[in-house]
């Protein structure tokens, strides 16, 4: 109620609020003027974004190459905010008579400066008052001088995230003979994330006292799998195919958090975070887990009349206790062709059970 009075020169009475004490969303003081602050306009802005991409492909004999580079610079819809991303990708393909290879590497680097959480806090500061005044300065609370705008002081804040991603994939195929093929796959997915936040926590004898936090995350995922595909028989109307394989994944996660306060200059923050200052607290955790799988699938077909499928999968996860670590997943299915007649209303009817 006090917020609405401050925004509308006191022209608000309690009768203009609902029985729950909340403003009527449809009420407007003058035609075309919203009862609330337009937070779409306060939070979002129009700006130019740049997205540059270049790629080159070439081949030498049976080997094909591709390399690409892209850069995105987006000043941001949320203000003030900036986002930059650079992506580098390479691919090598080889396809021979009995051997095939595909190798991919993709790397990306992201740099984000984000004040979105501060804007949310500013919206809660005084919901009906813009966080910035007409001169683009931070607004003050209309009634409580001691209550500072959560964005204050904006020019001394740093909210930056650095994200690096690396993905590598290697696919190998071996055609052993006309009826059998072996496929192998290896993959690496690595993610490093660092978020640094710095702000003014207090003023002492006219000088700013800074505090900051640093959050570092690392994720490493490894994958290795292989499967063997073979046509066991293809005699007359009988066809039998089998596929068997194994898979192994390993996940490693680590996190480190640092928080420090009482710094007299922004440069002290970064310097002391890398050292062992007494006013910097550190904590963290790490986790490693694995998943292993094995599977086999058999498919039998007799002419176009009968299809039978059998499969079995075994999955194990290290985070479970040894007594319950493995899960068994069998399945069976069959289908029968009842009739087929292109001249009838129903051309084909199959009955299946799984």
């Amino acid at each position: 109620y006090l917020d609405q009075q401050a925004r509308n020169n006191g022209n608000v009475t309690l009768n203009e609020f609902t029985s729950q004490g909340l403003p009527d969303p449809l009420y407007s003081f003058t035609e075309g003027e919203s009862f609330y602050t337009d937070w779409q306009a306060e939070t979002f802005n129009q700006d130019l974004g740049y997205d540059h991409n270049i790629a080159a492909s070439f081949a030498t004999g049976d080997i094909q190459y591709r390399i690409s580079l892209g850069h995105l610079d987006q000043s941001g819809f949320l203000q003030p905010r900036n986002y930059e991303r650079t992506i580098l990708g390479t691919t090598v393909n080889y396809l021979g008579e009995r051997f095939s290879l595909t190798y991919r590497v993709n790397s990306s680097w992201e740099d984000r400066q984000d004040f979105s959480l501060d804007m949310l806090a500013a919206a809660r500061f005084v919901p009906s008052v813009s966080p910035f005044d007409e001169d683009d300065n931070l607004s003050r609370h209309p009634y409580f001088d001691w209550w500072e705008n959560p964005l204050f002081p904006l020019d001394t804040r740093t909210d930056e995230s650095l994200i690096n991603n690396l993905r590598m994939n290697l696919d190998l195929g071996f055609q052993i003979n006309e009826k059998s093929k072996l496929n192998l796959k290896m993959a690496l997915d690595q993610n490093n994330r660092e978020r640094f936040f710095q702000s003014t926590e207090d003023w002492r004898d006219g000088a700013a006292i800074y505090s900051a936090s640093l959050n570092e995350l690392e994720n490493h995922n490894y994958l290795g799998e292989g499967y063997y595909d073979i046509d066991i028989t293809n005699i007359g109307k009988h066809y039998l195919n089998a596929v068997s394989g194994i898979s192994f994944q390993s996940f490693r996660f680590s996190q480190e958090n640092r928080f420090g306060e009482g710094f007299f200059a922004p440069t002290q923050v970064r310097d002391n975070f890398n050292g062992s200052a007494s006013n910097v607290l550190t904590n963290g955790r790490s986790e490693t887990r694995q998943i292993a799988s094995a599977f086999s699938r058999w498919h039998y077909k007799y002419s176009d009349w009968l299809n039978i499928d059998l499969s079995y999968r075994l999955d194990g996860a290290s985070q479970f206790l040894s007594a319950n670590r493995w899960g068994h997943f069998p399945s069976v299915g069959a289908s029968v062709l009842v009739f087929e007649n292109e001249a009838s209303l129903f051309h084909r009817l199959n009955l299946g059970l799984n």
Side-chain angles (χ1 to χ4, degrees), residues 138-264:
L138 293 173
S139 60
R140 305 291 298 179
H141 197 282
Y143 292 97
F144 308 110
D145 292 335
W146 51 267
W147 193 357
E148 288 185 339
N149 190 317
L151 291 175
F152 178 82
L154 189 63
D155 56 351
T156 64
R157 284 174 172 261
T158 300
D159 192 351
E160 185 176 33
S161 295
L162 302 176
I163 305 172
N164 299 325
N165 294 290
L166 173 64
R167 292 183 177 179
M168 302 176 62
N169 294 276
L170 177 62
D171 296 318
L172 302 174
F174 302 91
Q175 189 72 42
I176 299 175
N177 52 48
E178 293 182 357
K179 294 185 177 182
S180 60
K181 184 177 182 180
L182 177 64
N183 291 275
L184 300 175
K185 179 179 180 179
M186 291 169 282
L188 166 66
D189 192 347
Q190 178 176 310
N191 175 273
N192 297 312
R193 181 187 300 261
E194 176 184 299
R195 182 174 186 262
F196 178 74
F197 178 77
Q198 172 185 300
S199 64
T200 303
E201 61 166 308
D202 196 6
W203 292 83
R204 191 176 303 169
D205 297 330
I209 308 298
Y210 298 91
S211 65
S213 62
L214 178 66
N215 177 258
E216 296 178 314
L217 296 174
E218 286 190 15
N219 287 285
H220 300 267
N221 300 331
Y222 305 92
L223 169 66
E225 63 181 21
Y227 66 90
Y228 184 63
D229 189 336
I230 181 172
D231 292 333
I232 298 176
T233 181
N234 190 6
I235 302 174
K237 296 182 179 181
H238 299 275
Y239 172 76
L240 181 61
N241 172 264
V243 179
S244 298
I246 58 174
S247 174
F248 178 80
Q249 287 181 274
S250 178
F251 305 89
R252 184 165 61 89
F253 166 81
S254 62
Q255 177 181 10
E256 182 174 331
N257 303 307
R258 302 182 190 180
F259 175 77
E261 56 185 357
F263 300 103
F264 290 93

Side-chain angles (χ1 to χ4, degrees), residues 30-42:
T30 59
E31 184 177 358
E33 181 181 356
S34 173
F35 189 82
Y36 296 106
T37 298
D38 184 0
W39 286 106
Q40 297 284 344
E42 299 290 347

